[in-house]
Amino acid sequence: ETGVTQTPRHLVMGMTNKKSLKCEQHLGHNAMYWYKQSAKKPLELMFVYSLEERVENNSVPSRFSPECPNSSHLFLHLHTLQPEDSALYLCASSQDGGLAAFFGQGTRLTVV
Amino acid sequence: DAKTTQPPSMDCAEGRAANLPCNHSTISGNEYVYWYRQIHSQGPQYIIHGLKNNETNEMASLIITEDRKSSTLILPHATLRDTAVYYCIVRPTLWPGNTPLVFGKGTRLSVIA
């Protein structure tokens, strides 16, 4: 248990569906991140939120829409995804000052 | 881009020490060395980090060379549960603000019974 909880753990969705991934951290951190890990590829940073403001967006397609309503919660809204978006989506949090980031267990997403 | 170089895979006998090397020859003075591991299909797990002194915790030891251009993660008594992909990451510490971790391909460690 890392203090970062992601739901759901598994999700199967059609290409026309709209779904959301949720991340919650109980560590008092002020930064949260979304990463994507496709099969046999390194983790790719998608979004960074610091103090609830988005500070980085790594050329992610608009069909992925993040939301950070407060410092403890992070969402990734999904719509009209493609089969190649099937991957493990990981959330992480950290605190200012460069301390270690902690990851959730991820959501395994399959787009059919 | 990842700023580290790691061997793609290593084997280690159960009960022996696992020594995982990492080259980071372009490391800057304000960059820390972090180690994470990822067991199959789980989220990465933080192991240890250091700046220039050797560090030890309940999981592992981190040995950083004097010139800081390379480091070694040591798992003193490897078990089958240590089978995972191990990532070495260099990351600047900026105050204030956060710098995200950038992952490379890591080293796949297989602990063999």
Side-chain angles (χ1 to χ4, degrees):
Chain A
E1 179 58 52
T2 64
V4 181
T5 304
Q6 290 187 243
T7 54
R9 292 295 306 277
H10 301 273
L11 177 63
V12 179
M13 61 185 289
M15 289 189 284
T16 58
N17 292 160
K18 289 185 180 181
K19 297 287 185 182
S20 295
L21 310 184
K22 179 182 176 182
C23 177
E24 185 173 1
Q25 59 97 359
H26 311 280
L27 302 168
H29 290 166
N30 62 4
M32 298 185 76
Y33 314 83
W34 281 116
Y35 286 83
K36 173 186 177 183
Q37 188 173 34
S38 303
K40 300 188 178 181
K41 288 187 178 180
L43 280 80
E44 302 170 56
L45 179 67
M46 299 176 73
F47 299 105
V48 179
Y49 275 84
S50 181
L51 299 173
E52 301 161 39
E53 290 189 12
R54 190 190 310 180
V55 296
E56 190 162 336
N57 174 350
N58 277 7
S59 302
V60 179
S62 59
R63 57 186 183 270
F64 295 92
S65 175
E67 178 190 4
C68 187
N70 56 60
S71 60
S72 298
H73 294 87
L74 184 66
F75 294 90
L76 188 62
H77 303 300
L78 315 170
H79 64 96
T80 59
L81 295 192
Q82 304 298 312
E84 58 265 30
D85 296 321
S86 298
L88 180 67
Y89 289 85
L90 291 155
C91 172
S93 71
S94 69
Q95 180 64 28
D96 267 2
L99 296 179
F102 294 93
F103 285 79
Q105 290 303 299
T107 295
R108 173 69 61 187
L109 173 68
T110 303
V111 181
V112 298
Chain B
D1 292 335
K3 299 173 63 175
T4 62
T5 304
Q6 299 177 253
S9 63
M10 293 181 64
D11 292 339
C12 178
E14 189 178 20
R16 304 295 294 270
N19 298 289
L20 293 98
C22 179
N23 285 323
H24 31 80
S25 58
T26 61
I27 194 169
S28 300
N30 69 339
E31 289 182 318
Y32 282 72
V33 179
Y34 285 78
W35 282 85
Y36 281 76
R37 72 180 183 184
Q38 187 176 24
I39 296 170
H40 181 63
S41 292
Q42 297 183 20
Q45 177 189 22
Y46 166 78
I47 301 173
I48 199 167
H49 75 283
L51 184 62
K52 49 185 170 182
N53 297 322
N54 298 337
E55 302 288 344
T56 295
N57 63 20
E58 64 279 3
M59 289 183 67
S61 294
L62 174 59
I63 309 297
I64 302 174
T65 58
E66 192 167 342
D67 63 8
R68 303 212 320 125
K69 293 186 177 182
S70 65
S71 60
T72 301
L73 179 75
I74 300 173
L75 308 178
H77 305 286
T79 71
L80 298 178
R81 289 178 295 179
D82 292 321
T83 293
V85 178
Y86 287 77
Y87 298 98
C88 170
I89 302 166
V90 295
R91 173 178 181 236
T93 299
L94 304 176
W95 188 281
N98 284 279
T99 304
L101 297 165
V102 177
F103 287 80
K105 296 182 179 180
T107 295
R108 181 172 298 278
L109 175 69
S110 298
V111 180
I112 303 167

